[in-house]
Amino acid sequence: MSPSPKKMLASIHDKISSLVHPHRETPNQAQTTISNATASLTPSNNWDYTITFIGAKDLARGDILSSDPYLEAYLGSPDDPTSLVFITGVQWVTLNPKWDATWELVNVPEDTMMEIFVKDKDRMKEDTDLGKTSLLLNGKLEGTREHVLDIWRSESRKRGQVFIKTVATRTTGQAAQLTHPSTKGPAQFSRHTSYAAGMLTGEKKFEFYTYRIRLYHVLDIFGPDVNGYQHWNVDYDAAKRIFADTLEGGNIRNALHSQHSYLYRHDKSCQYGALVRADDLGRLLHGQRLIENPSQDLKMVVFTYSIIPKGLYFSETGAAFFQDFMSKHAMHANRAPEVVYSGEFRLFRDEHHNGDWTLLIDNNSGTYAPKKEDLPKLRELFERNFPDLVVVALDHEDPYLKDIRQATKKAEEEQAAQRSQPLLSLFGNMSSVSDD
């Protein structure tokens, strides 16, 4: 007789807890990390900045009657993939947006120019430029300063103003050892809602969420050269079909692009914000779930992700057909032939270890087959974006992970058997094409 779902959940819980424990940082390791962070207190000639993009007023109209404005800021050329970049959320139907978005920078050299672009978000075409401005970052900004910058639509025509606050201090500590400027944070996120996709999953709720988090330090850790990223898996049959230089391959990639564009579209249902701590990440992914079912075991919730230079793209993956279909790595990566990394993850509080938020992440992607040798880089990436997050990065062939995936699948099948799977026959052939 097969074990009950309750016993399956208990088994998964015990396996994951025992898996996480050996990988946690010891007190000596933690103290070493703290010591390294305070190793150098001698100020450098560079600057740390906290830059708050407060808002703007009297913007040009990007649409017939108004605009849906957002702001992009760059340290370096916008065309250079190694430039530091910050993007606010979208404010809908206004010429006087309030963003209140904060960018923290460290080790910025004297007289670094910050280029600023204001744009109108368009849903059906390319975004419209509303103008640009700039701010020179140097010692004259030491302390707290407020700035009102004119927005230039051309060299001779201006329209609107941007309001910015800067707090500048000399770079000290570990940041002073860096060889280039870097973003301290916080990571910016957007949550995108699809009601049609939610209905088709057969869930009680009608929303299906996809998430984008603009992780910082991706290029610092993995490098800027795409040749060093994870190329699509030439030994994987489904990947061969997706990326083949054939009519079928082109059609599949177009379908993946259409899915990506639909599921990651920006509209008034989008939620924007910043993730400062691991608890922020936990509330984003599980907040509503815990309100509706406080006893739910979060270790059962699996997310499929792809990381590309623009950020981390992911959604929940489950036994429900449409969830599984629309959570594939190539779709999240917008049909990119290479990714920084991809796989699956679980985010949960480990009640056996102080209730810390714990990220159990792997490289389980047939489409891209990320190298297990890069797992330490993956762990470092999340630790630098969320310093209080416990990160365990493991290869998909790890025996524990195999047992956990098998137990999770059985438990999900028990739950999925109680739900209908609408339109399964209509999309069955499509799901097999991008199956990871």
Side-chain angles (χ1 to χ4, degrees), residues 35 60 102 146 163 191 212 263 298 383 387 394 404 423:
S35 299
T102 299
E146 294 184 352
F163 303 99
R191 189 188 74 177
R212 172 186 174 178
L263 293 175
L298 300 182
E383 288 177 336
L394 295 177
I404 291 167
L423 301 183

Side-chain angles (χ1 to χ4, degrees), residues 405-424:
R405 285 200 298 270
Q406 185 176 9
T408 301
K409 184 176 181 180
K410 289 182 179 179
E412 287 179 334
E413 288 173 348
E414 289 282 340
Q415 297 171 356
Q418 303 174 17
R419 299 195 297 261
S420 62
Q421 298 296 311
L423 301 183
L424 178 60

Side-chain angles (χ1 to χ4, degrees), residues 84-112:
L84 300 184
V85 59
F86 181 89
I87 302 177
T88 70
V90 180
Q91 293 291 302
W92 299 97
V93 194
T94 180
L95 301 180
N96 303 290
K98 295 181 179 180
W99 295 300
D100 288 324
T102 299
W103 191 16
E104 295 188 30
L105 296 162
V106 297
N107 198 45
V108 179
E110 182 80 359
D111 291 332
T112 294

Side-chain angles (χ1 to χ4, degrees), residues 166-214:
T166 59
V167 179
T169 57
R170 284 291 186 184
T171 302
T172 61
Q174 195 174 22
Q177 311 305 312
L178 297 174
T179 59
H180 50 78
S182 184
T183 295
K184 183 179 178 181
Q188 304 291 310
F189 77 86
S190 57
R191 189 188 74 177
H192 308 259
T193 304
S194 169
Y195 295 97
M199 292 172 62
L200 292 174
T201 63
E203 299 290 338
K204 293 180 180 179
K205 64 179 184 179
F206 293 132
E207 301 90 356
F208 180 87
Y209 299 127
T210 53
Y211 305 82
R212 172 186 174 178
I213 299 177
R214 184 172 288 278

Side-chain angles (χ1 to χ4, degrees), residues 144-162:
T144 301
R145 298 284 189 271
E146 294 184 352
H147 313 270
V148 180
L149 306 177
D150 290 328
I151 301 172
W152 293 88
R153 302 210 70 189
S154 66
E155 292 184 359
S156 60
R157 187 163 59 101
K158 60 185 178 181
R159 175 65 184 269
Q161 295 174 316
V162 170

Side-chain angles (χ1 to χ4, degrees), residues 227-299:
N227 292 322
Y229 294 166
Q230 319 296 326
H231 189 270
W232 65 268
N233 185 3
V234 297
D235 296 321
Y236 190 57
D237 288 341
K240 290 179 183 178
R241 293 181 62 190
I242 293 171
F243 295 104
D245 188 17
T246 62
L247 179 60
E248 180 195 42
N251 289 337
I252 294 172
R253 291 192 296 276
N254 287 338
L256 291 171
H257 174 64
S258 296
Q259 286 181 337
H260 180 95
S261 299
Y262 176 73
L263 293 175
Y264 284 100
R265 73 193 185 283
H266 292 262
D267 57 25
K268 294 180 181 180
S269 68
C270 280
Q271 177 184 346
Y272 303 98
L275 304 172
V276 179
R277 300 174 55 82
D279 193 54
D280 298 330
L281 182 62
R283 286 199 302 269
L284 174 65
L285 271 59
H286 297 308
Q288 188 62 35
R289 193 191 322 272
L290 292 177
I291 291 174
E292 296 173 354
N293 184 9
S295 63
Q296 181 172 356
D297 188 349
L298 300 182
K299 298 181 183 71

